[in-house]
Amino acid sequence: MDLLDQVFLSNRSWAQGMVKNNKDYFKNLSLTQVPKYLWIGCSDSRVPETEITGSKAGEIFVHRNIANLVHDDDPSLLSVLKYAVDYLKVEHIVVCGHLNCGGVKAAFDGLEDEHLGDWIADIKSSYMSNKDDLSEIVSNTDKINRLAELSVVKQVEKLSSMKVVKDAWGRGQHLHIHGWMFDISTGELNSLKELSPEKRVWAI
Ligand SMILES: [Zn+2]
C-alpha cells in the first residue's frame, strides 16, 4: 500500500471512530463553525495547531505560512484576518512561532532565493535591527531561537497596526493579539506578548 492509500484508509478509520463516539458529529460539524481564535502559525509539519493545543475540528481558524509572518500585502493573510475578525468575530489572534524554525534559520544564514528569500526578508530586517543584542548570544542555535521570538513579537505589533484590527478595536470589539512560541523539544507553548484594546503589554 502506498502512502496516499494509507492516508485514505486512516481517514475512513477516523471518520468511523468519530461517528461511533457521537453519531451526529459530522452532521453538527457541517452546520457551522465557531472557532475560538485565529491561529497564524508556521507551515512546519511539527507544529500542528489542533494537536498541540488539544483542540478539535471547528475550534481554530488557521493561517499558516513559512515562519508565521504577517505581510500587509499578502492577500491570503488579509482575507483570513478579515473573515476571522469581521465575520467569525474571534476574540483572540495568536501568532505562534517555534524553536528550531527552518525559515528563521534560512534568514539568519542569509538565504537568497527568488521566492523564499523574498518571503523571509522581514526576518532579515529583524536580525539587522537587533544585531547588537543578538551578538551577545554565543551559540548560533540560541541566536536563531531568539530571532524567532523577536520576529513573533514584531508580527504581533504589525497586526495591531493593520486596518482590520484597528477598526475592530475602534468599534469596541473584544480582540486580543498574542505572541506565542512552541518548543519542539518539550512540546510546550509559552507566551511572549499580548496586545489588547487596553494596550496592556507583557513583553519578554
Ligand atoms: Zn518554522
PDB file of all heavy atoms in Angstrom, residues 42-44 46-47 65-68 97-104, ligand 1:
ATOM      1  N   CYS A  42       3.456  28.619  11.686  1.00  0.00           N
ATOM      2  CA  CYS A  42       4.433  28.222  10.669  1.00  0.00           C
ATOM      3  C   CYS A  42       3.928  26.977   9.936  1.00  0.00           C
ATOM      4  O   CYS A  42       3.229  26.145  10.503  1.00  0.00           O
ATOM      5  CB  CYS A  42       5.786  27.935  11.327  1.00  0.00           C
ATOM      6  SG  CYS A  42       7.086  27.522  10.119  1.00  0.00           S
ATOM      7  N   SER A  43       4.302  26.865   8.664  1.00  0.00           N
ATOM      8  CA  SER A  43       3.911  25.696   7.865  1.00  0.00           C
ATOM      9  C   SER A  43       4.611  24.419   8.314  1.00  0.00           C
ATOM     10  O   SER A  43       4.237  23.323   7.872  1.00  0.00           O
ATOM     11  CB  SER A  43       4.257  25.935   6.389  1.00  0.00           C
ATOM     12  OG  SER A  43       3.588  27.053   5.895  1.00  0.00           O
ATOM     13  N   ASP A  44       5.581  24.552   9.174  1.00  0.00           N
ATOM     14  CA  ASP A  44       6.362  23.392   9.637  1.00  0.00           C
ATOM     15  C   ASP A  44       5.454  22.247  10.094  1.00  0.00           C
ATOM     16  O   ASP A  44       4.539  22.452  10.893  1.00  0.00           O
ATOM     17  CB  ASP A  44       7.261  23.848  10.802  1.00  0.00           C
ATOM     18  CG  ASP A  44       8.335  22.826  11.134  1.00  0.00           C
ATOM     19  OD1 ASP A  44       7.986  21.660  11.425  1.00  0.00           O
ATOM     20  OD2 ASP A  44       9.520  23.184  11.122  1.00  0.00           O
ATOM     21  N   ARG A  46       5.865  20.000  12.087  1.00  0.00           N
ATOM     22  CA  ARG A  46       5.966  19.599  13.502  1.00  0.00           C
ATOM     23  C   ARG A  46       5.156  20.490  14.430  1.00  0.00           C
ATOM     24  O   ARG A  46       5.210  20.314  15.660  1.00  0.00           O
ATOM     25  CB  ARG A  46       7.448  19.624  13.932  1.00  0.00           C
ATOM     26  CG  ARG A  46       8.331  18.692  13.122  1.00  0.00           C
ATOM     27  CD  ARG A  46       9.798  19.002  13.355  1.00  0.00           C
ATOM     28  NE  ARG A  46      10.158  20.348  12.876  1.00  0.00           N
ATOM     29  CZ  ARG A  46      11.359  20.906  13.002  1.00  0.00           C
ATOM     30  NH1 ARG A  46      12.315  20.228  13.613  1.00  0.00           N
ATOM     31  NH2 ARG A  46      11.607  22.111  12.539  1.00  0.00           N
ATOM     32  N   VAL A  47       4.434  21.435  13.859  1.00  0.00           N
ATOM     33  CA  VAL A  47       3.656  22.358  14.696  1.00  0.00           C
ATOM     34  C   VAL A  47       2.174  22.331  14.284  1.00  0.00           C
ATOM     35  O   VAL A  47       1.640  23.330  13.784  1.00  0.00           O
ATOM     36  CB  VAL A  47       4.213  23.796  14.616  1.00  0.00           C
ATOM     37  CG1 VAL A  47       3.644  24.642  15.752  1.00  0.00           C
ATOM     38  CG2 VAL A  47       5.739  23.808  14.668  1.00  0.00           C
ATOM     39  N   ASN A  65       2.036  29.895   7.211  1.00  0.00           N
ATOM     40  CA  ASN A  65       2.990  30.152   6.135  1.00  0.00           C
ATOM     41  C   ASN A  65       4.395  29.940   6.704  1.00  0.00           C
ATOM     42  O   ASN A  65       4.550  29.701   7.907  1.00  0.00           O
ATOM     43  CB  ASN A  65       2.801  31.572   5.563  1.00  0.00           C
ATOM     44  CG  ASN A  65       3.024  32.665   6.599  1.00  0.00           C
ATOM     45  OD1 ASN A  65       4.004  32.628   7.346  1.00  0.00           O
ATOM     46  ND2 ASN A  65       2.131  33.639   6.663  1.00  0.00           N
ATOM     47  N   ILE A  66       5.387  30.037   5.861  1.00  0.00           N
ATOM     48  CA  ILE A  66       6.751  29.813   6.336  1.00  0.00           C
ATOM     49  C   ILE A  66       7.146  30.903   7.334  1.00  0.00           C
ATOM     50  O   ILE A  66       7.073  32.106   7.035  1.00  0.00           O
ATOM     51  CB  ILE A  66       7.729  29.755   5.148  1.00  0.00           C
ATOM     52  CG1 ILE A  66       7.519  28.434   4.404  1.00  0.00           C
ATOM     53  CG2 ILE A  66       9.183  29.877   5.626  1.00  0.00           C
ATOM     54  CD1 ILE A  66       8.382  28.242   3.199  1.00  0.00           C
ATOM     55  N   ALA A  67       7.477  30.457   8.544  1.00  0.00           N
ATOM     56  CA  ALA A  67       7.953  31.325   9.631  1.00  0.00           C
ATOM     57  C   ALA A  67       6.885  32.270  10.181  1.00  0.00           C
ATOM     58  O   ALA A  67       7.221  33.318  10.729  1.00  0.00           O
ATOM     59  CB  ALA A  67       9.218  32.084   9.225  1.00  0.00           C
ATOM     60  N   ASN A  68       5.597  31.884  10.004  1.00  0.00           N
ATOM     61  CA  ASN A  68       4.491  32.633  10.628  1.00  0.00           C
ATOM     62  C   ASN A  68       4.632  34.161  10.507  1.00  0.00           C
ATOM     63  O   ASN A  68       4.662  34.875  11.497  1.00  0.00           O
ATOM     64  CB  ASN A  68       4.291  32.222  12.100  1.00  0.00           C
ATOM     65  CG  ASN A  68       5.586  31.999  12.861  1.00  0.00           C
ATOM     66  OD1 ASN A  68       6.147  30.910  12.839  1.00  0.00           O
ATOM     67  ND2 ASN A  68       6.083  33.044  13.498  1.00  0.00           N
ATOM     68  N   GLY A  97       5.171  31.205  16.794  1.00  0.00           N
ATOM     69  CA  GLY A  97       6.439  30.790  16.211  1.00  0.00           C
ATOM     70  C   GLY A  97       6.910  29.533  16.912  1.00  0.00           C
ATOM     71  O   GLY A  97       6.236  29.007  17.795  1.00  0.00           O
ATOM     72  N   HIS A  98       8.063  29.056  16.517  1.00  0.00           N
ATOM     73  CA  HIS A  98       8.572  27.861  17.204  1.00  0.00           C
ATOM     74  C   HIS A  98      10.095  27.841  17.178  1.00  0.00           C
ATOM     75  O   HIS A  98      10.724  28.460  16.301  1.00  0.00           O
ATOM     76  CB  HIS A  98       8.002  26.583  16.568  1.00  0.00           C
ATOM     77  CG  HIS A  98       8.451  26.355  15.148  1.00  0.00           C
ATOM     78  ND1 HIS A  98       9.460  25.487  14.822  1.00  0.00           N
ATOM     79  CD2 HIS A  98       8.035  26.909  13.970  1.00  0.00           C
ATOM     80  CE1 HIS A  98       9.634  25.492  13.499  1.00  0.00           C
ATOM     81  NE2 HIS A  98       8.779  26.351  12.972  1.00  0.00           N
ATOM     82  N   LEU A  99      10.667  27.140  18.149  1.00  0.00           N
ATOM     83  CA  LEU A  99      12.115  26.986  18.187  1.00  0.00           C
ATOM     84  C   LEU A  99      12.530  26.050  17.048  1.00  0.00           C
ATOM     85  O   LEU A  99      11.736  25.257  16.571  1.00  0.00           O
ATOM     86  CB  LEU A  99      12.558  26.425  19.543  1.00  0.00           C
ATOM     87  CG  LEU A  99      12.110  27.254  20.771  1.00  0.00           C
ATOM     88  CD1 LEU A  99      12.734  26.693  22.045  1.00  0.00           C
ATOM     89  CD2 LEU A  99      12.482  28.726  20.611  1.00  0.00           C
ATOM     90  N   ASN A 100      13.761  26.162  16.626  1.00  0.00           N
ATOM     91  CA  ASN A 100      14.301  25.361  15.524  1.00  0.00           C
ATOM     92  C   ASN A 100      13.517  25.575  14.219  1.00  0.00           C
ATOM     93  O   ASN A 100      13.260  24.617  13.478  1.00  0.00           O
ATOM     94  CB  ASN A 100      14.303  23.870  15.875  1.00  0.00           C
ATOM     95  CG  ASN A 100      14.988  23.580  17.194  1.00  0.00           C
ATOM     96  OD1 ASN A 100      14.320  23.421  18.217  1.00  0.00           O
ATOM     97  ND2 ASN A 100      16.306  23.551  17.193  1.00  0.00           N
ATOM     98  N   CYS A 101      13.146  26.823  13.957  1.00  0.00           N
ATOM     99  CA  CYS A 101      12.365  27.134  12.748  1.00  0.00           C
ATOM    100  C   CYS A 101      13.300  27.253  11.538  1.00  0.00           C
ATOM    101  O   CYS A 101      14.231  28.062  11.532  1.00  0.00           O
ATOM    102  CB  CYS A 101      11.596  28.439  12.945  1.00  0.00           C
ATOM    103  SG  CYS A 101      10.602  28.903  11.496  1.00  0.00           S
ATOM    104  N   GLY A 102      13.028  26.450  10.520  1.00  0.00           N
ATOM    105  CA  GLY A 102      13.862  26.456   9.311  1.00  0.00           C
ATOM    106  C   GLY A 102      13.808  27.788   8.577  1.00  0.00           C
ATOM    107  O   GLY A 102      14.805  28.217   7.986  1.00  0.00           O
ATOM    108  N   GLY A 103      12.650  28.450   8.612  1.00  0.00           N
ATOM    109  CA  GLY A 103      12.513  29.739   7.933  1.00  0.00           C
ATOM    110  C   GLY A 103      13.371  30.805   8.583  1.00  0.00           C
ATOM    111  O   GLY A 103      14.013  31.616   7.905  1.00  0.00           O
ATOM    112  N   VAL A 104      13.389  30.797   9.916  1.00  0.00           N
ATOM    113  CA  VAL A 104      14.200  31.782  10.644  1.00  0.00           C
ATOM    114  C   VAL A 104      15.688  31.489  10.430  1.00  0.00           C
ATOM    115  O   VAL A 104      16.497  32.400  10.221  1.00  0.00           O
ATOM    116  CB  VAL A 104      13.850  31.776  12.148  1.00  0.00           C
ATOM    117  CG1 VAL A 104      14.747  32.742  12.904  1.00  0.00           C
ATOM    118  CG2 VAL A 104      12.376  32.121  12.358  1.00  0.00           C
TER     119      VAL A 104
HETATM  120 ZN    ZN B   1       9.012  27.320  11.209  1.00  0.00          ZN
END
